[in-house]
Amino acid sequence: MLIRLSVLLFVLVFPKSYASDCANKSSLKIGIGSSWPPFVMYGTRPYGIDVDITRAVFERAGFCIEFIQLPSSARGITELEKGLIDVLPSASFSVDRAKIAYFSSPYRREKMRLFANKEIDLDSNLIELFSAGYTFTANPGAYYGEEVKQIKKIDWYDRRLFEIASLDRRIEMVAKNRIDFLIEDEDAGYYYINKLGYQSIQLHPYVVNDNAIHFMLGRHAFKRSDIERVNEAITNLNGTIANISEKYRKDSG
């Protein structure tokens, strides 16, 4: 099936050996967003924790895939709902998302934390920090849990949450004291602290959200038997998935 994608998207494919094996088969289109180390990074081809896990799972399940780079997480949801993308990795479950896609079994956990350039109210929870007038930055379209979802419904709080697609830019705003807090995955935050020299940024003790991460599977592309194949592959690759995650965590340490 041919589809037309926006000029903002471009295809990132497997090496020739894999491409030749899949030459006569249709490929699932896997949507991945902007660079999000250590989960999604770009070189001659995409790589990172979620990219490598995706390759392993869908190859084990017997699917050919190609990666489509998207400008943001929010765009990914839109493209999946339209049927232009078949799979989104790195997905947290929500009732609203379940209306537009199936969810695989979880393949890892994600812990969202607060990062700040200085010690700020270490005993405070998230609502207390918003109430105190501090500012926050987060990724548009990402899911940060029910607490953040409820906070965003209050206009006075929502105006203090600045959504920026680039993690480089988000963490730079905090490092330069232009925004007080970065809401980010713990591994991704530590990656920038350790690899890019943001030693002034530290982890706040409050845990914003701790949840399972799944593949979102487009309803237009997956039958029940397909979902079962993906879930079986995740189960069979538990050790491989753990090794992939550990490798990148060590590389960023």
Side-chain angles (χ1 to χ4, degrees), residues 231-250:
N231 289 341
E232 183 178 359
I234 292 170
T235 299
N236 292 336
L237 289 170
N238 276 340
T240 299
I241 289 171
N243 290 338
I244 290 170
S245 298
E246 185 62 23
K247 173 188 179 298
Y248 281 100
R249 290 187 182 111
K250 285 182 178 178

Side-chain angles (χ1 to χ4, degrees), residues 122-223:
L122 294 183
D123 294 328
S124 298
N125 61 34
L126 191 62
I127 191 67
E128 289 170 340
L129 292 170
F130 268 94
S131 297
Y134 291 115
T135 54
F136 299 78
T137 183
N139 183 23
Y143 179 72
Y144 293 97
E146 285 303 309
E147 186 175 17
V148 172
K149 183 178 179 179
Q150 295 304 315
I151 283 172
K152 285 175 59 62
K153 292 180 179 180
I154 301 172
D155 182 65
W156 194 86
Y157 294 159
D158 189 46
R159 284 186 279 115
R160 283 154 180 76
L161 178 60
F162 298 90
E163 295 185 326
I164 301 171
S166 167
L167 177 53
D168 285 21
R169 181 62 175 157
R170 295 197 302 273
I171 203 164
E172 179 186 11
M173 296 290 281
V174 174
K176 293 182 177 180
N177 288 315
R178 295 176 181 171
I179 292 178
D180 296 311
F181 284 100
L182 167 70
I183 307 176
E184 187 55 64
D185 175 88
E186 186 173 315
D187 285 330
Y190 273 130
Y191 176 90
Y192 274 84
I193 290 171
N194 294 330
K195 296 288 273 189
L196 302 182
Y198 290 113
Q199 297 302 322
S200 63
I201 294 181
Q202 58 190 303
L203 185 68
H204 189 280
Y206 189 73
V207 177
V208 176
N209 194 49
D210 184 354
N211 64 281
I213 293 299
H214 313 254
F215 295 106
M216 287 182 70
L217 309 172
R219 293 179 179 273
H220 63 281
F222 286 85
K223 300 177 295 186

Side-chain angles (χ1 to χ4, degrees), residues 18-25 64:
Y18 186 95
S20 61
D21 292 339
C22 292
N24 297 319
K25 299 179 182 178
C64 294

Side-chain angles (χ1 to χ4, degrees), residues 31-116:
I32 51 175
S34 55
S35 181
W36 185 37
F39 300 102
V40 177
M41 294 176 277
Y42 293 98
T44 55
R45 64 174 184 160
Y47 64 103
I49 292 175
D50 281 332
V51 175
D52 291 2
I53 291 174
T54 300
R55 283 195 180 101
V57 167
F58 283 88
E59 182 177 352
R60 173 64 69 91
F63 293 101
C64 294
I65 66 172
E66 58 182 340
F67 288 99
I68 307 294
Q69 186 179 4
L70 303 164
S72 68
S73 300
R75 180 61 174 272
I77 300 295
T78 300
E79 299 295 327
L80 185 70
E81 188 171 14
K82 290 179 178 178
L84 301 180
I85 294 296
D86 302 314
V87 180
L88 286 177
S90 315
S92 300
F93 178 85
S94 73
V95 173
D96 289 341
R97 290 179 174 186
K99 293 176 182 177
I100 65 171
Y102 302 117
F103 277 77
S104 73
S105 298
Y107 66 86
R108 67 173 177 85
R109 293 198 68 81
E110 177 180 78
K111 185 177 290 187
M112 288 294 177
R113 303 294 299 276
L114 295 170
F115 292 87

